Amino acid sequence: MSTVDSIQDIMAKYGMDATKDKGKSDNLNKDAFLQLLVTQMRYQDPLEPAKNEDFLAQMAQFSSLEQMQNLNTSSTMQQAYSLIGKTVLGLSYNEVSGESKYVEGVVQSVTLKGGEAFLNVDGVDVALAKVEAVLNDHATSNEAMIGAINQINEALVAINEKIDRIAAGETVEEPVENVDEGQ
């Protein structure tokens, strides 16, 4: 925080308002950073000008920060895109009425509004940060359970047939097959 505080002190020293960012008073965006850099250059002491290395270091820090922000945005969007077609439960906020309500449904699409990812859940926008649960897709989980039950039934039928043969006095040389848990 000391870096932000020192930047805000410098901006105040040169008559700039660090809180002019559109609604986000705690964040310095890249426009504010560049404005600060230009202001620093404009009002520097002509007898002791800042070194080029200092400006290059500031630009490198700025570039690094911008790349981290871009990486964060792309990571968030990738996470949002991975939810398309899945059933989610999230809290939707209506800006007009000021009401919040829970929405459960299938994610239809993803949009980016003001740097924040929103999921379209059955026609209602839900912020990715407000998604509370990703629910199982009922069709897929039902199909998987039915498949597993069928495999168990087949194994039980084979075991019962072998038991009947043993009870009838036949010798059974076939090993009993193990059913893998992962199938």
Side-chain angles (χ1 to χ4, degrees), residues 14 23 26-27 30 34 54-55 57 59 62-63 66 90 99 118 134 153 159 161 163 167-168 170 181 183:
Y14 294 117
D26 293 339
N27 297 330
K30 59 185 167 186
L34 291 174
D54 294 339
F55 289 116
M59 289 301 292
F62 171 69
S63 178
E66 185 176 29
E99 295 177 351
F118 283 86
V134 178
N153 283 337
I159 291 171
E161 289 173 357
I163 290 173
E170 296 177 25
E181 291 180 21
Q183 295 182 359

Side-chain angles (χ1 to χ4, degrees), residues 12-109:
K13 177 181 174 183
Y14 294 117
M16 296 173 54
D17 186 8
T19 61
K20 285 186 181 176
D21 191 17
K22 302 170 188 163
K24 294 184 178 181
S25 60
D26 293 339
N27 297 330
L28 290 173
N29 63 12
K30 59 185 167 186
D31 293 333
F33 179 82
L34 291 174
Q35 187 179 10
L36 172 63
L37 193 60
V38 168
T39 303
Q40 262 186 313
M41 291 175 71
R42 183 181 301 146
Y43 293 107
Q44 68 182 334
D45 185 0
L47 299 176
E48 293 182 35
K51 296 178 183 174
N52 288 338
E53 293 82 21
D54 294 339
F55 289 116
L56 288 175
Q58 286 180 347
M59 289 301 292
Q61 287 176 344
F62 171 69
S63 178
S64 175
L65 176 64
E66 185 176 29
Q67 291 304 317
M68 285 190 292
Q69 288 174 335
N70 291 342
L71 182 61
N72 183 34
T73 300
S74 68
S75 174
T76 300
M77 292 305 291
Q78 181 63 35
Q79 183 181 10
Y81 289 137
S82 71
L83 294 175
I84 291 177
K86 294 190 178 175
T87 304
V88 297
L89 173 68
L91 191 62
S92 173
Y93 177 73
N94 185 331
E95 293 179 11
V96 176
S97 67
E99 295 177 351
S100 295
K101 67 175 183 174
Y102 281 96
V103 177
E104 179 181 337
V106 177
V107 177
Q108 304 294 324
S109 63

Side-chain angles (χ1 to χ4, degrees), residues 109-121:
S109 63
V110 175
T111 56
L112 188 65
K113 297 177 186 174
E116 187 175 7
F118 283 86
L119 309 175
N120 183 307
V121 180

Side-chain angles (χ1 to χ4, degrees), residues 149-161 176-177 179:
I149 290 170
N150 286 337
Q151 286 182 342
I152 291 170
N153 283 337
E154 290 171 10
L156 288 174
V157 167
I159 291 171
N160 283 332
E161 289 173 357
V176 176
E177 293 180 23
V179 178

